[in-house]
């Protein structure tokens, strides 16, 4: 049996469309792309990159997501009105159970790592 190997995930890939569902969009016409570059065998942990043009949409998280914004600027707002703004270089975690909105203020790109607990 061979030892586990390091997986390099920063290779350029075109990704695939990942636009928000039309019924969730609150403003603009956001166009998103995603490139999932790793998933563990249980499908509970995965990571890659995501990008989007400007727009705003409703979000509801069942997963935990760690984000590192590498381009652009975004604003998250919770259902109870608390706001956070992030720009390139910022890192943050969105907890499972978070609901509110995601707004892209300047076209953005992020690295993400997601853990989706089994229910």
């Amino acid at each position: 049996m061979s030892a586990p190997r390091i997986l390099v995930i920063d290779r350029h890939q075109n990704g695939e469309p990942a636009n928000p569902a039309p019924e969730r969009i609150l403003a603009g016409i956001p166009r998103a792309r995603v490139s999932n570059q790793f998933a563990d065998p249980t499908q509970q942990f995965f990571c890659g990159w995501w990008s989007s043009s400007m727009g705003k949409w409703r979000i509801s998280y069942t997963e935990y997501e760690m984000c590192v914004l590498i381009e652009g600027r975004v604003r998250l707002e919770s259902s109870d009105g608390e706001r956070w703004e992030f720009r390139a270089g910022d890192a943050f975690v969105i907890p499972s159970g978070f609901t509110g909105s995601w707004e892209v203020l300047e076209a953005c790109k992020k690295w993400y790592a997601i853990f989706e607990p089994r229910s």
Side-chain angles (χ1 to χ4, degrees):
M1 184 166 143
S2 63
R5 297 180 54 102
I6 298 296
L7 175 67
V8 177
I9 62 169
D10 66 350
R11 304 294 186 236
H12 254 332
Q13 294 185 8
N14 290 331
E16 57 189 289
N19 301 326
E23 65 274 9
R24 292 181 24 220
I25 296 175
L26 300 170
I29 305 172
R31 295 291 177 240
R33 296 192 72 74
V34 67
S35 177
N36 198 55
Q37 298 195 5
F38 172 80
D40 79 318
T42 69
Q43 297 295 300
Q44 289 182 276
F45 174 77
F46 46 100
C47 60
W49 65 260
W50 173 91
S51 64
S52 180
S53 63
M54 292 172 45
K56 182 178 181 178
W57 57 94
R58 284 187 295 278
I59 55 175
S60 180
Y61 274 68
T62 58
E63 68 274 20
Y64 295 88
E65 179 179 13
M66 193 275 291
C67 304
V68 179
L69 206 60
I70 55 176
E71 295 175 7
R73 192 165 57 99
V74 302
R75 178 183 299 134
L76 278 73
E77 185 173 346
S78 68
S79 295
D80 62 5
E82 193 171 0
R83 290 179 156 190
W84 301 264
E85 194 168 307
F86 302 103
R87 54 183 22 105
D90 290 340
F92 54 98
V93 172
I94 303 171
S96 177
F98 181 87
T99 60
S101 64
W102 179 288
E103 183 174 9
V104 176
L105 303 168
E106 295 173 7
C108 70
K109 186 172 186 178
K110 69 178 178 180
W111 284 106
Y112 65 83
I114 293 174
F115 176 70
E116 176 81 51
R118 290 205 172 112
S119 36

